[in-house]
Amino acid sequence: MKEKLYTIPVNDAFDSDCECPICFMKKTLENNAVEFTMGPSYMEDDVRAETDKIGFCNYHLGKLYENKNRLGLALMLKTHMDKTIKDLEGLSAKKGKGPSLFKKNTETTPVKEYTDNIVSSCYVCNKIDNMFNLYITTVFYLFEHDSAFIDKLKASKGFCTEHYGLLFQEADKHLSGEKAESFRKDLNKIYFDNMKRVRDDLEWFIDKFDYRYVNEPWKNSKDALPRAMTKTNSVYEKGN
């Protein structure tokens, strides 16, 4: 099929020869989102309104700091703090219900509701998730409409456990009954064959620390540990 714009990153991921193309997609989206956030866009009113409102999660705040645009990050955090202070001063000044004589007050206060929302929200996460969902939809679209993609899927190195579960679950949402079963059948073979491959490489990596195998070749086990980390915990390492 003729490649459309939204299929390009999905095909690129499956061409990457990595242990999980879905991890590859998500890592690419994360890099792009961090670069976008720390680029000239942080001075745009609509972007700044969002970062002021929802802020960043701990993980992505660290990624933004690593970007080295310290002035840009300082400006975003300063106006985010301005809004947080203003909002919480208003909420904390409101009088709530007094405690009941006979039962505990279990209602969440507006202050706690606000702080819960703000610590669980992230501008970068939102940007990643919006595009990631489109990419997952595209995987199923290509499976249904592009025979070359099916060959590419079957030739891949499989998926991490998290994304295997995601694709398994999402099949019914995007494909009809027979197509969904066909996808799951292929998915199961791809996942288990490649999990066992990396497991076996990891086993040989362990054996190489035994003096009895010191003179044996490493085979494909030298990078088995980071590849196993991708498979088990979605820790994407470039080149895996």
Side-chain angles (χ1 to χ4, degrees):
M1 68 175 276
K2 187 176 180 181
E3 192 167 49
K4 297 179 181 179
L5 181 62
Y6 58 83
T7 69
I8 293 173
V10 174
N11 274 308
D12 285 349
F14 278 87
D15 287 334
S16 67
D17 194 39
C18 66
E19 293 293 351
C20 181
I22 309 300
C23 285
F24 181 97
M25 293 179 207
K26 198 156 193 178
K27 188 64 177 179
T28 301
L29 285 172
E30 180 184 77
N31 292 339
N32 292 342
V34 169
E35 289 179 11
F36 174 86
T37 305
M38 298 311 299
S41 62
Y42 75 84
M43 293 300 294
E44 296 176 7
D45 290 342
D46 57 336
V47 173
R48 197 62 159 272
E50 279 296 299
T51 60
D52 287 352
K53 179 181 177 182
I54 65 178
F56 307 100
C57 67
N58 291 348
Y59 175 75
H60 285 128
L61 186 60
K63 289 294 181 183
L64 296 175
Y65 186 77
E66 291 173 6
N67 184 266
K68 304 300 184 184
N69 183 359
R70 301 295 165 77
L71 176 59
L73 182 56
L75 288 168
M76 282 190 289
L77 290 182
K78 191 268 181 186
T79 53
H80 171 60
M81 292 172 75
D82 287 341
K83 177 171 173 53
T84 302
I85 291 168
K86 181 180 178 181
D87 289 348
L88 284 175
E89 281 181 338
L91 291 172
S92 63
K94 291 181 179 179
K95 292 183 178 180
K97 295 179 180 179
S100 169
L101 183 62
F102 299 105
K103 66 176 183 178
K104 287 185 177 180
N105 182 8
T106 58
E107 292 183 6
T108 303
T109 64
V111 166
K112 185 63 164 59
E113 184 177 351
Y114 183 96
T115 57
D116 284 349
N117 286 336
I118 207 165
V119 299
S120 62
S121 62
C122 175
Y123 176 79
V124 177
C125 285
N126 289 354
K127 283 193 69 66
I128 294 168
D129 290 344
N130 290 338
M131 285 302 299
F132 183 71
N133 291 334
L134 175 60
Y135 287 2
I136 295 300
T137 299
T138 303
V139 169
F140 291 104
Y141 175 86
L142 289 170
F143 180 82
E144 189 166 23
H145 296 94
D146 188 351
S147 59
F149 178 78
I150 297 176
D151 293 337
K152 192 178 295 188
L153 173 69
K154 291 179 178 179
S156 73
K157 291 183 175 179
F159 305 95
C160 69
T161 298
E162 177 185 354
H163 293 138
Y164 159 72
L166 174 66
L167 293 172
F168 193 97
Q169 177 69 25
E170 290 288 303
D172 285 331
K173 179 179 175 182
H174 298 281
L175 300 171
S176 62
E178 289 185 4
K179 277 284 187 178
E181 284 306 307
S182 175
F183 177 84
R184 284 195 176 121
K185 182 179 178 181
D186 290 342
L187 177 67
N188 284 340
K189 179 171 175 53
I190 295 162
Y191 171 74
F192 289 112
D193 284 355
N194 284 284
M195 278 289 282
K196 291 171 184 176
R197 170 182 56 81
V198 175
R199 186 273 319 276
D200 291 346
D201 288 346
L202 191 64
E203 184 176 28
W204 186 246
F205 176 85
I206 294 167
D207 287 344
K208 279 293 293 176
F209 285 84
D210 188 320
Y211 73 92
R212 293 173 295 176
Y213 301 98
V214 67
N215 293 320
E216 297 292 329
W218 281 90
K219 302 179 183 179
N220 294 320
S221 70
K222 281 191 174 180
D223 63 345
L225 187 54
R227 288 190 288 115
M229 291 167 64
T230 297
K231 291 296 192 191
T232 60
N233 287 70
S234 309
V235 179
Y236 178 79
E237 296 288 343
K238 189 175 181 179
N240 287 351

